Amino acid sequence: MNPTRKRRLIIVLLVVAAAVVAVGLTVFALQQNMNYLFTPSQVQTGEARSYKTFRLGGMVKAGSIQRSSDSLKVTFTVVDASGSMPVEYTGILPDLFRDNQSVIATGHMDNARFIATEVLAKHDETYMPKELKDAMAKAHEGKQVNEAAGQDKPQ
């Protein structure tokens, strides 16, 4: 192989190696910033165990909101069709946050309690994020909703 071809081959190989390293670092960085959405029943079955931070989505259980009198700490329970998860949040909650309201909280697990770093409430009556809608639909598979009583019944 003559010296010109050898030099070109080395340059091409170095460019390809640099591109592979750049793509690998980009994929690694994006994986670290991804937050997956889980419902309380999915968290309880252990599907979120391998994630350090994730999003918890569901409805705020009626009567579960407890505010600390001396700080911004709030505890509440997020529920779905077959599970519930206690949530602790310190900060200012959205104006639309209340009982029986859809909510998505970002945070991590601390034993059996979800520690939220961010809480989002749905912004109107009909809106539900696609991820939460899909997760709730999956959680309700095989159950028939009794509209008169407002309870789920297995088929």
Side-chain angles (χ1 to χ4, degrees), residues 3-122:
T4 305
R5 280 191 179 178
K6 188 175 185 179
R7 191 175 324 123
R8 283 183 189 159
L9 180 62
I10 290 173
I11 290 172
V12 167
L13 290 175
L14 288 174
V15 168
V16 168
V20 167
V21 168
V23 167
L25 289 174
T26 302
V27 168
F28 178 74
L30 289 175
Q31 282 182 336
Q32 297 298 317
N33 291 329
M34 293 180 104
N35 287 321
Y36 294 94
L37 177 73
F38 296 98
T39 62
S41 58
Q42 290 174 316
V43 173
Q44 289 172 341
T45 60
E47 292 180 41
R49 192 173 297 138
S50 62
Y51 299 98
K52 184 177 178 180
T53 62
F54 60 92
R55 293 183 294 164
L56 177 69
M59 303 288 282
V60 177
K61 182 178 179 182
S64 70
I65 300 172
Q66 297 175 346
R67 300 175 191 271
S68 174
S69 61
D70 60 344
S71 69
L72 295 175
K73 182 177 173 181
V74 179
T75 58
F76 56 95
T77 303
V78 175
V79 297
D80 66 354
S82 59
S84 66
M85 179 67 51
V87 178
E88 181 178 304
Y89 175 68
T90 302
I92 299 172
L93 290 166
D95 291 337
L96 295 175
F97 181 85
R98 60 182 175 272
D99 288 342
N100 297 319
Q101 186 76 18
S102 291
V103 67
I104 295 178
T106 303
H108 64 278
M109 292 299 295
D110 182 23
N111 295 323
R113 180 177 294 272
F114 186 78
I115 306 299
T117 56
E118 179 183 32
V119 175
L120 304 172
K122 77 175 189 175

